[in-house]
Amino acid sequence: MKLNGVRVPHKKNTAGSPSLRLPIPETVTIPMSMHIGKPAAVLVKRGDSVKVGQLIGKADGFVSAPVHSSVSGTVKKIDEITASNGSKVSAVIIETDGLQEISEEIQKPVVNDFESFINAVKASGIVGLGGAGFPTFVKLGVKDLSKVEEIVINSAECEPYITSDTRTMLEKTEYISKGIDALQKYMQAKRIIIGIENNKKECVQKMQELASQKSGVEVHVLPSIYPQGGEKVLIYNTTKKIVPKGGLPLDVGVIVINCTTLAEIAKYLETGMPLVEKCITVDGSAVREPKNVVAPIGTPLTKLFDFCSGFKSEPEKVLYGGPMMGIAVPSLDEPVLKNTNAVIAMDKNEAKPPKVTPCINCGACLNHCPLKLDPREIARAYKRNSAEDLQMLCVDLCMECGCCSYVCPAKRPLVQTNKLAKAKLREYVNSKKAEGEGKK
Ligand code: SF4
Ligand code: SF4
């Protein structure tokens, strides 16, 4: 069996650029929802003084994550902002004092078993930093550890432009190493696999050196085919296991964790400093000097671009994330989020929407879909407004990787249609559920 994908231009312009620290901005805007799940509950009010690492948002539900101040300064206001997905979310706006005083709350956590390890991961505020934003303590907090056969460290970084994981592997190798030790000690991981694309030669070498010093750690060097870092794709290509339809990686005994997420866990275990800053790749055809920038969470994106000497041409489109799966940013005042690994500014040429023509039934979309979905038929079912057909076509499994749109010679907006179709199917499933409950 072979999982499909596409060959995309790598554009890893910043792979060799060491990360540079951004000067502290005058204000930061820290949203209470930078994760999948329930937003955190605000703990501070206007006028409060805050310090770096101080808890300002309490996790408010089982799937939620705490939020910490990334700066020292004064809370200017608690506001409601519009997130890039259109939802309204509370945010703490802090005027910085430039001192970056560390909160007295910061303490190295006491970790001696699985439970205290999971509690520490929860307190760190760490969420999936590869872009997913799922609270990491929920992912690692499995009920039965004996079910975990492999932990795969996702170091594929298959999206064009993005090199922030590359910098983690090169600059924070020690934290990845300590993170692996923690997984072996507290999660009794029997087999750890680092999955990495072959276009990152220096990283491959670093990871192989690291693995050679440990037992139970393997490095799998994988072809650079997008979306190699997609969870199900990576699981198959490293373990040959297939996650069942609608199932989770744990159903086949696997947990996948991003390499930067793991490094941040190790950093928290060593220092007690929660997730308050991120390394972000700032690139795209409109950016004058692409860089990897370390910035406090909540920093306005405009500061990142200023730090990269601004734009060489007017940006037509700015994305959180890479060009394949990134989300359009409505304004440059949007903040750096926990799961922001890149911001890409495209000029007119790069962002130019392609001319859409009718489907020619070539089947390329189906042939390149890593999950073997049929985007052409999904688009037709969506047009017919048939939620039943969308369910039959398993549109809910679509990981929105964009391979189908990328290969379509007619330039049909297949991934966008899939997103809409998934929403339609969710609505249908929920209404069926409500109907069923009403009959009880
Ligand atoms: S249908 Fe979904 S999973 Fe398949 S290629 Fe398109 S976006 Fe990717
Ligand atoms: S790739 Fe485009 S043109 Fe070809 S079958 Fe799919 S939707 Fe139609």
Side-chain angles (χ1 to χ4, degrees):
M1 184 182 155
K2 181 174 162 281
L3 290 186
N4 302 325
V6 290
R7 287 193 188 273
V8 291
H10 301 156
K11 298 186 178 177
K12 303 280 188 184
N13 309 317
T14 54
S17 311
S19 55
L20 299 170
R21 201 162 276 279
L22 184 86
I24 301 303
E26 297 81 44
T27 58
V28 293
T29 299
I30 306 181
M32 290 297 106
S33 180
M34 296 183 274
H35 51 264
I36 291 174
K38 211 167 163 212
V42 180
L43 291 177
V44 288
K45 57 182 189 318
R46 185 167 176 250
D48 283 356
S49 293
V50 290
K51 292 182 180 172
V52 180
Q54 183 179 328
L55 186 69
I56 57 169
K58 191 170 165 253
D60 194 23
F62 176 63
V63 182
S64 185
V67 177
H68 304 82
S69 179
S70 57
V71 293
S72 63
T74 308
V75 175
K76 208 165 101 184
K77 65 174 168 175
I78 312 295
D79 208 358
E80 196 173 71
I81 62 165
T82 307
S84 52
N85 65 2
S87 64
K88 298 276 180 203
V89 57
S90 294
V92 175
I93 298 168
I94 304 168
E95 207 160 59
T96 64
D97 59 15
L99 302 173
Q100 289 303 83
E101 276 187 85
I102 306 292
S103 164
E104 296 76 19
E105 290 171 11
I106 301 303
Q107 262 182 20
K108 184 179 153 130
V110 178
V111 175
N112 40 37
D113 55 13
F114 174 63
E115 200 186 335
S116 51
F117 173 67
I118 295 300
N119 286 340
V121 176
K122 181 175 183 183
S124 71
I126 294 169
V127 301
L129 302 180
F134 189 70
T136 305
F137 80 93
V138 181
K139 188 184 237 192
L140 298 183
V142 295
K143 287 203 177 74
D144 181 359
L145 272 183
S146 68
K147 289 210 167 118
V148 183
E149 290 162 11
E150 286 108 359
I151 298 183
V152 178
I153 301 175
N154 190 346
S155 306
E157 202 167 51
C158 55
E159 269 255 8
Y161 284 119
I162 310 179
T163 64
S164 50
D165 283 346
T166 296
R167 295 320 304 174
T168 297
M169 285 184 267
L170 299 178
E171 296 173 15
K172 296 184 176 170
T173 322
E174 201 48 36
Y175 276 138
I176 295 182
S177 170
K178 287 176 181 170
I180 290 173
D181 295 344
L183 294 177
Q184 290 183 321
K185 190 166 175 192
Y186 303 120
M187 299 204 56
Q188 291 141 42
K190 300 168 205 81
R191 188 176 176 217
I192 292 185
I193 304 171
I194 303 173
I196 180 166
E197 281 194 341
N198 61 7
N199 61 350
K200 302 172 187 65
K201 294 210 168 20
E202 218 187 322
C203 299
V204 168
Q205 202 185 338
K206 279 257 182 196
M207 294 300 107
Q208 282 172 335
E209 272 166 31
L210 184 158
S212 69
Q213 293 153 15
K214 299 179 187 292
S215 63
V217 182
E218 303 157 31
V219 178
H220 288 209
V221 184
L222 307 164
S224 309
I225 293 179
Y226 178 85
Q228 191 66 266
E231 203 166 57
K232 288 175 185 164
V233 177
L234 189 66
I235 290 172
Y236 180 74
N237 286 341
T238 51
T239 66
K240 294 288 168 259
K241 291 179 175 178
I242 298 173
V243 179
K245 180 178 168 274
L248 294 169
L250 199 57
D251 297 336
V252 291
V254 182
I255 290 177
V256 179
I257 185 166
N258 163 270
C259 62
T260 301
T261 308
L262 184 63
E264 282 297 329
I265 291 174
K267 183 177 165 196
Y268 180 75
L269 296 180
E270 191 169 288
T271 65
M273 180 56 77
L275 182 66
V276 292
E277 62 179 25
K278 273 307 298 289
C279 174
I280 306 129
T281 300
V282 186
D283 203 345
S285 47
V287 177
R288 197 178 297 276
E289 284 178 30
K291 288 183 171 76
N292 282 305
V293 183
V294 177
I297 286 166
T299 299
L301 300 186
T302 185
K303 294 286 175 191
L304 300 181
F305 292 114
D306 289 350
F307 190 66
C308 294
S309 308
F311 299 113
K312 56 185 179 199
S313 52
E314 192 59 29
E316 182 76 9
K317 192 172 175 188
V318 178
L319 299 172
Y320 273 129
M324 297 300 285
M325 289 190 79
I327 296 169
V329 170
S331 140
L332 292 184
D333 293 330
E334 293 290 316
V336 166
L337 306 173
K338 285 182 181 180
N339 59 346
T340 307
N341 50 10
V343 284
I344 305 299
M346 298 171 164
D347 64 15
K348 234 184 190 148
N349 225 6
E350 194 179 15
K352 197 167 145 198
K355 194 168 174 278
V356 179
T357 54
C359 170
I360 54 167
N361 287 314
C362 66
C365 51
L366 167 68
N367 291 337
H368 285 82
C369 174
L371 303 181
K372 307 213 180 310
L373 303 179
D374 190 340
R376 170 189 49 184
E377 285 306 327
I378 290 171
R380 287 171 184 162
Y382 179 73
K383 203 169 166 200
R384 295 197 291 276
N385 207 8
S386 172
E388 286 94 342
D389 288 354
L390 289 174
Q391 195 165 35
M392 215 176 61
L393 291 160
C394 304
V395 68
D396 51 323
L397 298 185
C398 170
M399 58 177 163
E400 300 171 19
C401 67
C403 288
C404 49
S405 303
Y406 185 80
V407 294
C408 176
K411 302 293 168 209
R412 309 216 44 91
L414 299 167
V415 68
Q416 288 86 343
T417 307
N418 283 6
K419 286 181 192 181
L420 296 169
K422 281 167 79 175
K424 179 175 283 300
L425 180 57
R426 263 196 308 272
E427 217 173 87
Y428 170 76
V429 170
N430 288 342
S431 73
K432 283 275 161 204
K433 217 192 268 170
E435 225 176 272
E437 274 162 17
K439 280 182 192 156
K440 275 183 197 164

